[in-house]
Amino acid sequence: MRPAPTDTEAWNAYLSEGNARQARKRVSADVILRDVSGRLLTVNPTYKDGWDLPGGMVEANEPPDRAAARELREELGLDITVGALLVVDWVAPHGPWDDQIAFIFDAGTLAPALAADVRPHDDELSEALFLPAPEVAARLRARQRTRLQAALRALADSRTRYLRDGEEPWQL
């Protein structure tokens, strides 16, 4: 039986029980970060094959934009305010993983002195390089490559992209 909303303790227990039964999504938050030449930062994680965009997994109850900023601080020592949302991608279950929501944000352009000093600050990354967009795309796995391409289109026309497993379900 559903409790009356006026019984705060019982109502919160009722809502908590319903919340516990709802789906939980894995969430990632990456960034597009450029140098003054327009090259993109890409990183080489030590814990998986292939290169990636800077960023990482969102922790419980953490906003995705703040997670991206936290990951930049922890992994690269960069204190950057994350800007506009470029891409939201629903990623279908794959391998052992449930579905996921992947965000890409614009992290702007680093001043030359900062860009020259970018390097891994923890053991999760072995390398960090600024490369032209086609070279970054060539280093990424297919799923990430399509997400990057959508993010670059979003930067060009200032329109956030929604993807469903890497594909735009409709063209605006």
Side-chain angles (χ1 to χ4, degrees):
M1 182 163 100
R2 191 173 115 192
T6 54
D7 180 352
T8 304
E9 188 174 324
W11 181 249
N12 284 341
Y14 170 77
L15 293 177
S16 179
E17 182 181 323
N19 183 55
R21 283 188 249 150
Q22 292 181 9
R24 297 284 188 257
K25 302 278 186 200
R26 293 179 314 115
V27 177
S28 67
D30 294 337
V31 300
I32 300 292
L33 182 60
R34 299 170 299 284
D35 67 8
V36 293
S37 299
R39 297 178 305 167
L40 309 179
L41 183 62
T42 186
V43 296
N44 191 3
T46 58
Y47 55 88
K48 64 182 178 181
D49 289 335
W51 288 68
D52 214 340
L53 294 175
M57 297 307 291
V58 176
E59 295 177 357
N61 301 313
E62 181 180 36
D65 59 322
R66 290 188 182 164
R70 174 185 51 75
E71 291 283 348
L72 289 171
R73 253 188 331 277
E74 291 174 1
E75 295 181 351
L76 297 164
L78 296 171
D79 190 16
I80 293 176
T81 301
V82 172
L85 175 63
L86 301 173
V87 172
V88 177
D89 186 11
W90 175 81
V91 180
H94 55 284
W97 302 107
D98 289 337
D99 66 339
Q100 171 185 344
I101 304 294
F103 292 88
I104 297 180
F105 295 93
D106 182 6
T109 302
L110 280 182
L114 282 175
D117 196 37
V118 170
R119 60 182 170 65
H121 278 235
D122 69 17
D123 61 356
E124 289 189 22
L125 302 178
S126 63
E127 296 175 81
L129 300 172
F130 283 96
L131 298 170
E135 288 184 41
V136 171
R139 290 173 182 245
L140 300 177
R141 292 181 300 282
R143 172 176 279 125
Q144 294 168 310
R145 188 175 310 115
T146 59
R147 204 175 297 144
L148 169 65
Q149 291 163 343
L152 294 174
R153 289 192 304 275
L155 276 172
D157 65 15
S158 300
R159 282 193 3 240
T160 301
R161 296 304 200 278
Y162 168 71
L163 307 178
R164 190 181 308 137
D165 210 19
E167 301 292 328
E168 290 187 56
W170 57 85
Q171 298 293 323
L172 298 177

